[in-house]
Amino acid sequence: MVHDMIISSVFAVVQALAMLALSPLMIGVIRKIKAWFQGRKGASIVQPYYDMAKLFRKETVVSDQASWVFRVTPYVAIASVMVAALLVPFFTIYSLGFVGDLIVVIYLMTMFKFFMVLAGLDTGSAFGGMGSSRELMVSSIVEPTMLLAIFTMALITGTTNLSSISETLAISGIDLVRPALFLATAAFFISLLAENARVPFDNPSTHLELTMIHEAMVLEYSGRNLALMEAASWMKLMLYSVILSNVFFPWGIATDLTVLGMIGGIAAILVKVLFVAIAIAIIESGMAKMRLFRLPNLLTLSFTLALLAVTSYYIL
Amino acid sequence: MIQTNFDVLFQSLICILFSGALVAVLLHKLGRPIAWISFAIAFIGSLLGILLSIDVILNDPITLGWSLGTFFGEWTLYLDQLSAFFLFMVCLVMASVSVYSFGYVGEYEGKYDTGLMGALLNLFFLSLVLVVSSNNAILFLISWESMSLVSFLLVMYEGRKEGVTNAGYLYLTMTHIGTAVMTAAFLLMAYYVGSYSFDDISAASGSLPSSVSSAAFLFLFIGLGTKAGMVPLHVWLPAAHPAAPSNISALMSGVMVKMALFMMVRSFFEFLGPVPSWWGLLVLLMGCISALLGVLYALKETDIKSTLAYSTVENMGIMFIGLGTAMVFQSYGLTSLSALALLATLFHALNHAIFKSLLFLGAGSVVHATHTRNMESMGGLAKPMPRTSVLMFVGLLSMAAIPPLGGFVSEWLLFQSLLQTTAVPDILVKMLMSVSIAILALTGALAVAMAVRLFGTTFLARPRTEQAKNAVESPKTMLWGMSFLAALCILLGVLSSWIIPYIDNVTESVLGVSIGSSVVDGLSISPESNDFATMAPLLIALLALIGIVMAWVLGHPKSGTERTSGTWDCGTPLSSRNEYTGTALSNPIVRVFGNIYRPQSEIRTESTSSPYIRKRLFYEVHFGDVFERRIYHPITILFTGIAKRMTVIQAGSIQAYLGYIFMMLVLLLVVFR
Amino acid sequence: MSSEVLTDAINGLAAIILLTSIVLVASKRMRSLVRTFMIQSLALGMFAAVVAYYTGADHIYIVAVLTIALKVFVIPYFLEYTIDKIHVKKEIEPLVGIPMSLLICAGLAFVGYYVSEPIIASGDAITKNCFAISLAVVLIGLFLMISRRKAMTEVIAILVIENGIFLGAISITYGMPLIVEIGVFFDVLVAALIMGIFAYKINRTFETLDTTFMRRLRD
């Protein structure tokens, strides 16, 4: 029992750090693929690492209107995503699942959002308020959708522990596939885009004030503070992609401690996350950002799908 | 020996409160000193109550035999685990409220009778103690009524302010309708059982004909639901809770509404016997409606205390979801799942009592400093009032169910118990359950938005008015009162694995099943079995703390590389008019849920000679409470219409009135000859 | 192949059919409506093929091939041609807002599930779950027809209803006699053609496809 816990803890820390280390790479890959679609050569896929290093060396400017909320937010942001990362299986099913389940993960993300939205308001700039206001609208529908989508998987596998969901699905395989799984996957993918401020919800590469959500909230951050906020957001994208990969398609994840299984697990998760990155890049190249008040249509679509997923599990 | 000691404790608690009230009433002319004395008495009383209730939860029920031998059977006071749990909740909140009141009463010095507030506070406390401990239907109704009346007087305390009287009378009317319906329910039960004693009623549970118990259930649900602010009977709550002084609002929203929950748990499970599944589904449905509408209405309010009051409606809805789930499980014989849901409900009630009273006290401090309840005239208070802002922040985190605070743990338990519904065989139940999961999740997300909006508008950005700019931190006693509650908010979450076994004692006394050993395993909490899920709040807290410290160590700007400068302003000097107000912040959400709000908005423009250049733009938006407009307004019109007709008999001559009495007398004589 | 994999495939395809019909409710552009319909019909064709393999009833293969040929190629091609011809790009504001329509559709799906529950409970056929979904699809199709204004959308709505009925027919009876199926296919093809032509004519006569203008025909 204790032995298991130690192994899980070690793996959890290694995996969380691996996710943190790889998250800028994922951003780099998405940007590169988008560049190809646009017929550009694009920056190197390691460019986000350079950006991060640069931001760490830069001077930090804090608004004179800012209160303590603005100052603590970057640390809370990175801490909440890292704690969440400890609870999510990455290349093995070993994680700190006994500390918290999927509800904890989603609510830790809410904690991140809670602080970030307040930080957006804190400096008294109209842009920050705009971003915060829109983020509240999007997240108030996305969050339940995410919960419902993962609950579907939890009900199918009989546990809300993310690691156990992956394990059960990976071992018992395709027998557990139900109609609900398809609906839930679709709902979760739409929410993933919304939650991480990707097209068609938000355009991550724009700084045009009137269209942006995420960028508007972190507009006042600079230097190391900005570096932490960006790292946290990238990490969040990574985390959701990993959840999508490991909860909905966990096949290939390492379920034991063999070396072969580990290597297989690492290869599998990298391929799966790469697929998510490609999917995001394709969507961003092929779609325009939606008008703000068109967003509820798409959000409600994902919510409805998630609701039907849970109900379909119960009925069918 | 020890047992008798606690009996004495109980007796002395009641005596102390009664004498406190009496002294304050007699000497209220002395003003502030007498108020302080009565707050001190309330504080001592609450400490006694905490001791007493802990003892009862751990050991055995206490009966106080003050047998008055009256017409309606024995009037005894009785504390079992369930009532002790609610007494505990009352006393915790009361302890901090009484400390807070020391500073807060200064607000009313010279304007209102402060001695009277002390007296009413003690009376209110006393009536709450009697409500949880009465063991007789009539005594219960009397205590319930005095609780309502005292709280009505407290709502009317600032009677010279505009709108307070209206709120007070609305409250009085609604609560009386509720009490009337409840009385009918108790009379019905007592008629079939043949006794007013709660002991006899619960002993006879199950022997009632199902039609009678269903009717009693409906009456009780409506009557208690009125007190609990269940939609659509909630209209008084967002008017009356904010109108009262803030320390009283904290008690009303934190504790008084829970009395309804207390009686629901007691009567639905203990008095009315085997629960049919439709009762549970009805409670669940009303809970869903209350939760969703409560939080949506909270998102449109600009009054800080009304926002909190609507959030109380929401949280009572969440508790009803839990209670309904427990009843549904119970009706299918799944008693241990029922216990899980009930445990989640009771734990949420405790959490809500703590964080909501903290928030109301915080709102009181803010109102104390700015002399307005309108959030949009505040702003930037985090700088002049840093301590209050941090304390309120903790309360809001708990309200928004951010891990690992108390609010999160109870919401987690609630989600887990809803997810166990695969065990229920009925398809209709399953469908409604899946919808309730969705609504609970949606409510949670909207509650986050509401918490953000409340804090952001009140404490962040620039001050919007002079008063907000000149605000000062509240007196020490007020901060102490709030700090106690804020600490509890955190401890209830972090230490929940130690607290839940005691709440399990309470559910065991109601349902007869103990699930404590399966729910708590060392540091972690899990529903039923460890296989389904586990969560360790303490470890989450530790990890989060380590994470934040590490992030700070590794990532804080090195000294000399940080400087302060103005917010980026695109070259135009920023003022408080540039920042987002609460209305603006929630506007996108209001638009998305426009079907529910049905706001009436109007845009008027004042043009110059050219239609393309506008001098001014007016934007007006009105949100009526839909229920007020659609249900209560027509009823009011109907009744005033009838009343107008009835004025005919009011002739004004004394002979006519004597004549009416005479006619009545004759009629009675003929009927009852 | 093991029967479990087949069941999963059947259930998955049925879920995709439900998913696409909800996506149809959410989309307003004519082209995306037609594309989504194509995906739905493709899933339906594959569904029929899998059922054919599972039951060994060969005539369902023919039905599957016909479904794919007609509903994935011929009818969508014709619809796109008509759309090009009369320049309708998107639906004007639907009568019921899209978020509301989606929630109503969720409710309709619940009704479908609820109504079909006795059949699901008593049935032992492998495709019994699909009956609930087919009922939901039919109801959603009907709702789509009621809530939209453009004649083109209504054509697609009727095709969705037909898909739902077809799904139900296969899942309950494992396919009707071949001659009936073929008859139905020709019916659908002819109906789609006629309605397309009608839409074209409506557009020419009223200068719009908005069917609310048809009220003028009363006078």
Side-chain angles (χ1 to χ4, degrees):
Chain A
M1 184 67 195
V2 176
H3 181 67
D4 278 359
M5 276 190 180
I6 293 172
I7 289 179
S8 300
S9 313
V10 171
F11 270 109
V13 172
V14 170
Q15 293 183 115
L17 291 177
M19 278 188 248
L20 184 66
L22 287 175
S23 61
L25 190 65
M26 186 182 179
I27 298 288
V29 168
I30 294 178
R31 287 187 188 157
K32 190 73 174 181
I33 300 172
K34 276 173 76 179
W36 285 343
F37 272 108
Q38 291 160 358
R40 293 187 287 122
K41 190 155 167 263
S44 154
I45 55 171
V46 291
Q47 184 62 36
Y49 292 100
Y50 296 141
D51 293 350
M52 195 53 62
K54 181 89 171 207
L55 282 175
F56 251 83
R57 285 197 304 273
K58 282 251 180 194
E59 186 190 36
T60 305
V61 184
V62 177
S63 161
D64 51 8
Q65 296 298 322
S67 67
W68 57 269
V69 175
F70 186 82
R71 286 170 189 279
V72 301
T73 298
Y75 313 118
V76 175
I78 194 83
S80 56
V81 285
M82 285 311 287
V83 176
L86 289 173
L87 312 178
V88 174
F90 186 50
F91 57 86
T92 68
I93 51 141
Y94 296 96
S95 72
L96 287 183
F98 55 90
V99 173
D101 61 349
L102 69 93
I103 306 178
V104 177
V105 172
I106 299 284
Y107 274 84
L108 279 169
M109 291 301 163
T110 312
M111 176 167 160
F112 172 23
K113 209 177 315 164
F114 190 92
F115 277 85
M116 187 163 69
V117 171
L118 282 178
L121 285 170
D122 199 8
T123 52
S125 118
F127 301 130
M130 205 177 283
S132 300
S133 163
R134 292 168 180 180
E135 174 73 20
L136 285 181
M137 175 192 87
V138 172
S139 69
S140 63
I141 307 180
V142 168
E143 207 186 290
T145 310
M146 290 236 150
L147 271 177
L148 286 176
I150 315 183
F151 276 161
T152 311
M153 305 311 290
L155 289 167
I156 289 177
T157 53
T159 168
T160 58
N161 184 328
L162 286 171
S163 298
S164 314
I165 294 179
S166 298
E167 189 181 4
T168 317
L169 271 184
I171 289 174
S172 46
I174 206 137
D175 298 352
L176 287 170
V177 175
R178 307 263 178 112
L181 188 137
F182 291 85
L183 300 170
T185 312
F188 191 85
F189 188 70
I190 297 176
S191 321
L192 181 143
L193 295 177
E195 188 79 345
N196 291 289
R198 312 300 302 192
V199 173
F201 293 91
D202 188 9
N203 191 343
S205 53
T206 180
H207 275 276
L208 189 66
E209 298 85 358
L210 296 177
T211 56
M212 60 196 182
I213 301 176
H214 175 80
E215 294 295 326
M217 278 190 291
V218 296
L219 195 64
E220 284 298 321
Y221 279 109
S222 53
R224 286 195 165 189
N225 284 345
L226 181 60
L228 290 181
M229 293 300 280
E230 287 293 302
S233 317
W234 294 346
M235 181 70 186
K236 190 171 154 193
L237 177 62
M238 186 71 187
L239 209 54
Y240 278 124
S241 312
V242 170
I243 293 177
L244 178 66
S245 317
N246 279 345
V247 171
F248 294 90
F249 309 99
W251 295 284
I253 194 169
T255 50
D256 46 29
L257 289 171
T258 57
V259 179
L260 207 64
M262 291 289 159
I263 295 172
I266 293 173
I269 190 66
L270 289 181
V271 169
K272 282 186 270 187
V273 171
L274 184 67
F275 262 107
V276 177
I278 293 173
I280 292 175
I282 291 175
I283 287 174
E284 295 199 349
S285 308
M287 275 181 101
K289 184 192 168 302
M290 276 182 147
R291 242 177 66 205
L292 184 69
F293 284 107
R294 290 263 178 257
L295 292 186
N297 295 352
L298 198 51
L299 292 171
T300 327
L301 175 65
S302 63
F303 182 74
T304 313
L305 290 179
L307 181 60
L308 279 179
V310 174
T311 320
S312 303
Y313 166 75
Y314 275 124
I315 314 285
L316 302 182
Chain B
M1 185 61 204
I2 291 173
Q3 194 56 46
T4 34
N5 281 346
F6 280 101
D7 276 359
V8 173
L9 203 61
F10 193 13
Q11 283 162 352
S12 52
L13 169 65
I14 289 169
C15 294
I16 284 178
L17 293 180
F18 191 69
S19 53
L22 203 66
V23 169
V25 167
L26 291 177
L27 302 175
H28 72 98
K29 284 278 174 338
L30 292 179
R32 204 153 161 187
I34 200 69
W36 283 3
I37 290 170
S38 46
F39 296 146
I41 288 172
F43 183 69
I44 293 166
S46 51
L47 293 186
L48 287 182
I50 289 171
L51 267 180
L52 178 68
S53 50
I54 287 176
D55 173 70
V56 173
I57 290 176
L58 293 180
N59 300 312
D60 293 316
I62 293 182
T63 311
L64 262 201
W66 279 341
S67 173
L68 300 177
T70 54
F71 186 54
F72 297 108
E74 295 216 333
W75 290 24
T76 51
L77 296 180
Y78 173 73
L79 275 183
D80 66 349
Q81 274 93 348
L82 183 65
S83 32
F85 175 74
F86 282 89
L87 181 65
F88 180 66
M89 194 190 289
V90 169
C91 294
L92 276 185
V93 174
M94 189 52 97
S96 58
V97 164
S98 51
V99 173
Y100 177 91
S101 302
F102 278 100
Y104 185 73
V105 81
E107 167 99 354
Y108 297 103
E109 187 64 41
K111 281 188 265 181
Y112 294 96
D113 189 340
T114 48
L116 203 60
M117 179 187 274
L120 288 174
L121 192 74
N122 273 311
L123 274 180
F124 193 35
F125 193 4
L126 181 66
S127 63
L128 288 168
V129 172
L130 289 178
V131 163
V132 294
S133 60
S134 37
N135 199 21
N136 177 298
I138 300 298
L139 179 60
F140 173 79
L141 285 172
I142 291 175
S143 334
W144 184 268
E145 189 60 16
S146 46
M147 174 180 87
S148 305
L149 280 178
V150 175
S151 56
F152 161 72
L153 291 176
L154 284 164
V155 168
M156 299 288 271
Y157 188 72
E158 294 176 50
R160 290 197 288 276
K161 264 195 194 158
E162 200 183 339
V164 170
T165 338
N166 279 340
Y169 283 121
L170 179 60
Y171 172 42
L172 195 65
T173 318
M174 290 304 290
T175 193
H176 271 98
I177 293 171
T179 313
V181 179
M182 273 168 64
T183 313
F186 279 116
L187 288 179
L188 198 62
M189 280 192 272
Y191 177 75
Y192 275 89
V193 175
S195 162
Y196 287 92
S197 159
F198 281 168
D199 287 336
D200 296 338
I201 293 178
S202 49
S205 83
S207 66
L208 291 180
S210 70
S211 59
V212 172
S213 59
S214 293
F217 159 75
L218 281 178
F219 282 149
L220 276 175
F221 188 50
I222 293 169
L224 294 165
T226 315
K227 199 58 154 191
M230 177 180 76
V231 173
L233 300 165
H234 68 288
V235 281
W236 63 272
L237 197 148
H241 285 202
S246 294
N247 50 351
I248 305 304
S249 313
L251 282 174
M252 288 174 74
S253 249
V255 176
M256 192 179 74
V257 288
K258 305 296 182 321
M259 294 300 118
L261 183 69
F262 159 72
M263 201 57 211
M264 279 187 189
V265 173
R266 170 136 295 178
S267 54
F268 296 168
F269 288 108
E270 291 182 10
F271 297 165
L272 296 174
V275 184
S277 64
W278 70 268
W279 291 9
L281 289 180
L282 182 69
V283 175
L284 188 70
L285 188 70
M286 295 318 282
C288 286
I289 295 173
S290 300
L292 191 58
L293 289 183
V295 70
L296 282 175
Y297 280 121
L299 270 167
K300 69 158 175 60
E301 277 300 327
T302 54
D303 180 328
I304 184 167
K305 287 174 81 178
S306 301
T307 310
L308 292 174
Y310 270 119
S311 142
T312 301
V313 175
E314 173 223 330
N315 278 288
M316 287 313 291
I318 292 177
M319 282 168 232
F320 286 163
I321 292 178
L323 182 66
T325 314
M327 288 163 74
V328 169
F329 282 137
Q330 178 77 355
S331 68
Y332 286 97
L334 305 162
T335 317
S336 62
L337 290 179
S338 174
L340 178 69
L342 189 63
L343 189 141
T345 311
L346 292 178
F347 192 40
H348 192 70
L350 181 61
N351 281 313
H352 177 249
I354 303 296
F355 72 68
K356 189 49 60 67
S357 22
L358 168 61
L359 290 175
F360 263 112
L361 295 183
S365 301
V366 169
V367 175
H368 182 86
T370 56
H371 301 286
T372 172
R373 273 173 22 200
N374 188 352
M375 288 195 285
E376 305 196 334
S377 325
M378 297 176 188
L381 293 176
K383 268 152 268 167
M385 307 175 74
R387 292 196 181 87
T388 312
S389 78
V390 173
L391 293 173
M392 261 192 102
F393 193 75
V394 172
L396 289 171
L397 282 179
S398 187
M399 180 166 87
I402 301 294
L405 277 83
F408 172 73
V409 179
S410 48
E411 197 146 319
W412 187 87
L413 279 171
L414 210 53
F415 268 124
Q416 293 294 355
S417 45
L418 279 169
L419 284 177
Q420 307 291 332
T421 34
T422 32
V424 176
D426 189 354
I427 180 171
L428 206 60
V429 175
K430 284 179 172 176
M431 272 195 209
L432 202 64
M433 285 294 184
S434 63
V435 173
S436 333
I437 295 176
I439 287 188
L440 190 62
L442 188 60
T443 309
L446 289 167
V448 171
M450 175 184 62
V452 164
R453 180 176 179 269
L454 197 151
F455 192 81
T457 320
T458 313
F459 289 102
L460 299 183
R462 286 183 176 74
R464 295 192 184 80
T465 52
E466 279 302 308
Q467 284 113 319
K469 201 180 270 176
N470 301 331
V472 285
E473 187 61 278
S474 331
K476 283 246 162 46
T477 43
M478 287 164 76
L479 291 174
W480 287 340
M482 287 192 280
S483 310
F484 175 61
L485 290 173
L488 277 177
C489 272
I490 297 169
L491 292 180
L492 277 179
V494 175
L495 303 182
S496 48
S497 48
W498 283 277
I499 295 167
I500 286 174
Y502 299 113
I503 303 180
D504 177 58
N505 277 1
V506 179
T507 50
E508 191 191 349
S509 81
V510 178
L511 294 171
V513 180
S514 168
I515 53 163
S517 53
S518 63
V519 169
V520 174
D521 174 24
L523 290 176
S524 57
I525 307 171
S526 58
E528 272 235 287
S529 70
N530 285 343
D531 293 342
F532 198 82
T534 52
M535 181 193 54
L538 184 65
L539 291 181
I540 295 173
L542 279 179
L543 287 175
L545 211 61
I546 294 171
I548 292 172
V549 170
M550 271 174 66
W552 189 80
V553 170
L554 297 174
H556 80 277
K558 274 187 248 142
S559 59
T561 63
E562 189 189 306
R563 77 186 157 89
T564 313
S565 174
T567 305
W568 184 53
D569 56 5
C570 303
T572 342
L574 287 175
S575 75
S576 60
R577 286 174 58 83
N578 292 72
E579 68 201 33
Y580 260 54
T581 57
T583 313
L585 194 64
S586 55
N587 189 40
I589 296 182
V590 170
R591 275 187 67 164
V592 172
F593 291 93
N595 274 328
I596 295 174
Y597 288 109
R598 305 194 172 278
Q600 293 153 315
S601 62
E602 188 188 358
I603 299 177
R604 278 180 294 136
T605 50
E606 231 174 71
S607 306
T608 50
S609 49
S610 155
Y612 298 105
I613 305 167
R614 275 142 186 191
K615 235 196 314 194
R616 280 205 194 104
L617 258 171
F618 295 93
Y619 174 70
E620 255 184 49
V621 61
H622 295 282
F623 303 96
D625 197 315
V626 176
F627 298 98
E628 227 163 282
R629 208 163 53 216
R630 292 279 155 81
I631 302 176
Y632 290 93
H633 197 57
I635 292 179
T636 323
I637 290 175
L638 180 72
F639 273 90
T640 35
I642 294 173
K644 274 211 181 101
R645 297 267 166 88
M646 297 289 277
T647 47
V648 180
I649 59 168
Q650 193 182 11
S653 96
I654 197 100
Q655 273 79 14
Y657 294 145
L658 285 174
Y660 297 145
I661 294 169
F662 176 65
M663 265 154 58
M664 196 66 208
L665 187 69
V666 171
L667 208 67
L668 282 177
L669 282 174
V670 170
V671 172
F672 296 101
R673 70 201 150 92
Chain C
M1 274 191 276
S2 72
S3 75
E4 262 136 17
V5 176
L6 283 177
T7 323
D8 293 336
I10 289 173
N11 280 335
L13 288 167
I16 290 174
I17 293 171
L18 178 62
L19 197 149
T20 42
S21 33
I22 291 189
V23 172
L24 277 174
V25 176
S27 45
K28 282 206 270 192
R29 288 177 190 279
M30 290 298 159
R31 271 190 202 287
S32 62
L33 279 173
V34 176
R35 298 259 161 81
T36 320
F37 172 71
M38 278 167 77
I39 296 173
Q40 185 176 56
S41 307
L42 188 62
L44 187 65
M46 285 161 70
F47 178 86
V50 177
V51 170
Y53 180 84
Y54 180 75
T55 56
D58 287 337
H59 76 273
I60 306 185
Y61 280 121
I62 303 174
V63 173
V65 171
L66 271 177
T67 307
I68 292 178
L70 273 182
K71 289 185 181 161
V72 183
F73 296 104
V74 179
I75 294 179
Y77 175 79
F78 173 71
L79 289 177
E80 294 221 356
Y81 172 80
T82 319
I83 289 167
D84 278 346
K85 196 96 180 175
I86 55 186
H87 302 294
V88 281
K89 282 260 158 25
K90 56 191 232 184
E91 177 76 37
I92 35 172
E93 274 312 306
L95 294 177
V96 186
I98 285 187
M100 202 60 203
S101 318
L102 284 166
L103 292 179
I104 291 174
C105 286
L108 289 175
F110 283 5
V111 171
Y113 289 174
Y114 183 66
V115 170
S116 57
E117 197 251 349
I119 298 167
I120 294 175
S122 66
D124 51 2
I126 193 72
T127 44
K128 63 190 162 55
N129 287 346
C130 307
F131 180 66
I133 290 181
S134 77
L135 209 54
V137 172
V138 170
L139 290 175
I140 291 172
L142 278 169
F143 175 76
L144 192 66
M145 209 166 191
I146 296 166
S147 67
R148 298 302 172 87
R149 297 193 213 193
K150 292 273 184 185
M152 285 310 289
T153 324
E154 296 184 358
V155 175
I156 291 172
I158 200 159
L159 291 169
V160 170
I161 297 174
E162 209 281 326
N163 275 355
I165 294 172
F166 186 71
L167 177 64
I170 293 186
S171 53
I172 290 281
T173 63
Y174 297 139
M176 292 170 278
L178 186 59
I179 190 76
V180 179
E181 297 278 17
I182 292 176
V184 170
F185 275 118
F186 278 108
D187 268 358
V188 170
L189 180 63
V190 171
L193 289 177
I194 290 176
M195 282 188 295
I197 294 164
F198 264 0
Y200 181 65
K201 293 279 181 196
I202 292 170
N203 193 44
R204 269 234 312 244
T205 316
F206 294 100
E207 308 265 291
T208 172
L209 265 189
D210 189 342
T211 45
T212 44
F213 279 87
M214 305 258 277
R215 288 198 196 136
R216 286 186 202 163
L217 288 175
R218 274 191 310 193
D219 307 323

